[in-house]
Amino acid sequence: DYELCEEWGHLYPVPREDLINLHREHLLHLLEIGDMQKALQLLQRIEDPGICLAISEQSLDQHLNLAASHFLADYLTAHFYANLTRARRNEIQALYMGSKVLLSLPEPSHVNYFHLSSRPLLVLEQLLMNMKVDWVAVAVQTLHQLLAGQEIGFTVEDIDNLLSKYAEKALNFPFALKEKRS
């Protein structure tokens, strides 16, 4: 049905908003079923960059699933970086990094941390608080790779400070040892 509507859009004048709604719904459908290849082909078929940007941003704001959010954040960064405001760029890059970190963790854990996907440092902190040390190692490695040459509102030093803070808390004993006297 989407493809038929798209063909009609090429043959007859369709208002811009209706065209955006059609393509957005088609894109959301493809992302829901996990067909990233067809989603990419759909975005590449859209000739007007303004419509493509609107569709991608509106779809990203729907907060579909982790893979869809990652795909859209990657697409927007790769194709429309210069068209985005600095704040929006940082928001999209943070979502990209957070979703990448979550995708590197075991799949059953995705649902527990998805709500934090746009806040990678909070994902890391939550993993530390939940004592998921192995997952923290994977998350830190992923973030270090992604942060190379990026500017998104936090740095490698912020990650190191967070790790230091929790390492200090892990070594902090709330009681004093009593000496045995004979």
Side-chain angles (χ1 to χ4, degrees), residues 12 34 45 68 70-71 77 119 137 147 158 178:
Y12 299 99
R45 279 196 312 266
H70 184 72
F71 170 82
T77 302
R119 313 266 315 267
L147 279 173
D158 294 326
K178 293 183 180 179

Side-chain angles (χ1 to χ4, degrees), residues 4-161:
L4 178 62
C5 288
E6 190 177 333
E7 286 179 36
W8 272 89
H10 290 296
L11 298 173
Y12 299 99
V14 176
R16 179 181 168 86
E17 284 305 311
D18 291 342
L19 201 55
I20 289 173
N21 289 337
L22 165 70
H23 288 307
R24 186 188 65 241
E25 291 303 318
H26 189 188
L27 180 63
L28 291 172
H29 169 72
L30 292 171
L31 293 172
E32 274 182 39
I33 63 172
D35 196 342
M36 304 305 175
Q37 188 63 36
K38 281 191 178 179
L40 180 60
Q41 290 170 357
L42 169 66
L43 291 170
Q44 290 172 340
R45 279 196 312 266
I46 299 170
E47 295 170 5
D48 184 342
I51 290 177
C52 192
L53 174 61
I55 292 164
S56 301
E57 279 198 284
Q58 289 175 15
S59 298
L60 182 65
D61 293 337
Q62 295 289 319
H63 303 292
L64 293 169
N65 59 45
L66 197 55
S69 295
H70 184 72
F71 170 82
L72 288 168
D74 185 33
Y75 184 81
L76 282 164
T77 302
H79 294 87
F80 297 106
Y81 190 81
N83 302 65
L84 302 168
T85 64
R86 183 178 187 81
R88 184 68 168 158
R89 265 187 256 155
N90 288 348
E91 178 186 324
I92 290 172
Q93 285 183 317
L95 178 61
Y96 174 79
M97 288 186 184
S99 60
K100 182 75 170 179
V101 166
L102 291 178
L103 287 169
S104 69
L105 301 178
E107 193 171 334
S109 68
H110 295 175
V111 70
N112 297 329
Y113 300 100
F114 178 73
H115 65 286
L116 299 173
S117 61
S118 62
R119 313 266 315 267
L121 284 179
L122 283 181
V123 170
L124 189 59
E125 189 167 6
Q126 190 69 48
L127 291 172
L128 285 165
M129 290 188 328
N130 290 340
M131 310 260 299
K132 303 288 187 186
V133 180
D134 295 338
W135 295 2
V136 169
V138 171
V140 168
Q141 181 181 11
T142 303
L143 283 173
H144 276 270
Q145 290 170 354
L146 293 172
L147 279 173
Q150 295 289 329
E151 226 181 277
I152 69 155
F154 69 93
T155 63
V156 172
E157 288 78 28
D158 294 326
I159 294 171
D160 293 342
N161 290 338

